[in-house]
Amino acid sequence: MAAAPYANIRDQISSILAGDALTSGSAVYIEEEPQFGLGDNQSGIAVFTNRRRAPAGEQPLALGQRTRFELDMLFVVLYFSHTSFRAAADGRDGVLANLELVLMKNRSLNNTVDALWLEGGEFYSARDPQNNMAFVAVAEVDATCRLLATTV
């Protein structure tokens, strides 16, 4: 029986981010809360699966034992600087651009999904709570994947 390949999707994302020179310099956290030691890396990308939907309009009887899902993913880019918020934001923007380019180059996530599209996300900055002399800039990338789960 073939179900929705959630674990494989996460594994492919990890492989893609680690294998591309644009993102391989950032620490990657897949379904992990990077709470401790995060400041030891200047940049990081955290990836979370958020929600899945099975739109009713895409579930006709003709599909039989197949279900189409839309899987919402959240990519969080973090960048630390000991200099200023501006330096952290500039670093964040570079990592964010690289992440978006990597995702745009592989919209099938190594053939694990039918489509992937980017939907924006939030920007915010703060002082690192573990280190008063560090600044952190964060950006989110909301992405949606379309996939098909079957019983055959």
Side-chain angles (χ1 to χ4, degrees):
M1 179 179 334
Y6 301 120
N8 191 26
I9 292 168
R10 290 190 304 268
D11 291 345
Q12 293 307 314
I13 290 170
S14 179
S15 175
I16 290 164
L17 296 180
D20 195 297
L22 291 173
T23 49
S24 64
S26 296
V28 175
Y29 304 89
I30 305 290
E31 299 287 1
E32 293 182 53
E33 285 286 339
Q35 295 178 11
F36 303 103
L38 184 58
D40 295 338
N41 300 298
Q42 190 167 22
S43 65
I45 301 170
V47 183
F48 302 97
T49 49
N50 272 352
R51 176 177 162 74
R52 71 188 193 299
R53 292 179 306 284
E58 295 190 24
Q59 306 302 322
L61 289 176
L63 279 179
Q65 297 180 352
R66 298 181 289 173
T67 302
R68 291 183 196 199
F69 284 102
E70 291 179 355
L71 177 65
D72 294 334
M73 308 282 301
L74 177 65
F75 294 79
V76 181
V77 172
L78 307 108
Y79 196 92
F80 293 86
S81 172
H82 291 289
T83 309
S84 66
F85 282 123
R86 176 64 185 257
D90 289 346
R92 172 206 59 207
D93 294 350
V95 174
L96 175 64
N98 288 342
L99 171 63
E100 290 170 341
L101 289 171
V102 168
L103 292 173
M104 287 187 289
K105 286 192 303 187
N106 195 334
R107 295 212 184 240
S108 72
L109 300 177
N110 293 337
N111 298 314
T112 57
V113 300
D114 297 328
L116 176 141
W117 58 93
L118 307 179
E119 298 186 1
E122 301 289 328
F123 285 93
Y124 42 96
S125 301
R127 281 195 189 275
D128 178 359
Q130 297 175 1
N131 180 353
N132 244 355
M133 296 304 295
F135 304 93
V136 61
V138 179
E140 297 175 348
V141 175
D142 296 315
T144 298
C145 304
R146 177 166 287 158
L147 57 123
L148 180 67
T150 66
T151 61
V152 290

